[in-house]
Amino acid sequence: MRRVLLSLILCVQSVSMSAASGHVVFHTASFGSSRSVSLGLAGGGPAFDFDVVITLSEFDGGGTVIYRDGGRHEASVRCVSPAMVRINSADYTVDVSARSGTDWKHDLWAALCTAPVS
């Protein structure tokens, strides 16, 4: 029941955030002071634990979008042990003790699986 409630909350939150900003950013990598690339969630719903669509955007130093990838990059996320991210048919184990910002797969897992539940 908790998983269903969490899924519903995240889907509603994702839809409302997506409507406001286009996508929800879960990881940003900086390349010097002039460029950054952000990975965001464009949609998805519960299945594996979560099936999502990842977006990719590149920004200049001032935050202006330079490039927005129009592709659909689908991924699945497992919250329970062993935590993992599945891209196509490849499974990537997630180090749940990793620091935020060090690995995009960890950040995706954390964005979906560590959201507070009331």
Side-chain angles (χ1 to χ4, degrees), residues 3-117:
R3 183 175 289 165
V4 171
L5 181 59
L6 174 62
S7 298
L8 181 60
I9 290 169
L10 288 173
C11 287
V12 169
Q13 181 182 15
S14 177
V15 168
S16 64
M17 288 180 163
S18 293
S21 65
H23 65 275
V24 178
V25 173
F26 66 86
H27 178 80
T28 301
S30 297
F31 302 95
S33 61
S34 62
R35 299 277 170 122
S36 65
V37 173
S38 294
L39 300 176
L41 300 175
F48 186 61
D49 275 318
F50 294 96
D51 290 330
V52 297
V53 175
I54 299 172
T55 62
L56 184 138
S57 303
E58 182 179 0
F59 300 89
D60 67 11
T64 302
V65 175
I66 299 172
Y67 171 76
R68 182 161 284 138
D69 182 10
R72 291 183 49 88
H73 307 285
E74 297 179 0
S76 297
V77 179
R78 176 187 292 157
C79 295
V80 296
S81 185
M84 73 176 53
V85 172
R86 176 177 288 163
I87 308 292
N88 296 324
S89 60
D91 291 336
Y92 301 94
T93 302
V94 173
D95 178 4
V96 298
S97 65
R99 277 191 6 254
S100 181
T102 57
D103 178 55
W104 72 266
K105 293 176 288 302
H106 172 272
D107 291 351
L108 173 60
W109 174 86
L112 295 169
C113 300
T114 63
V117 176

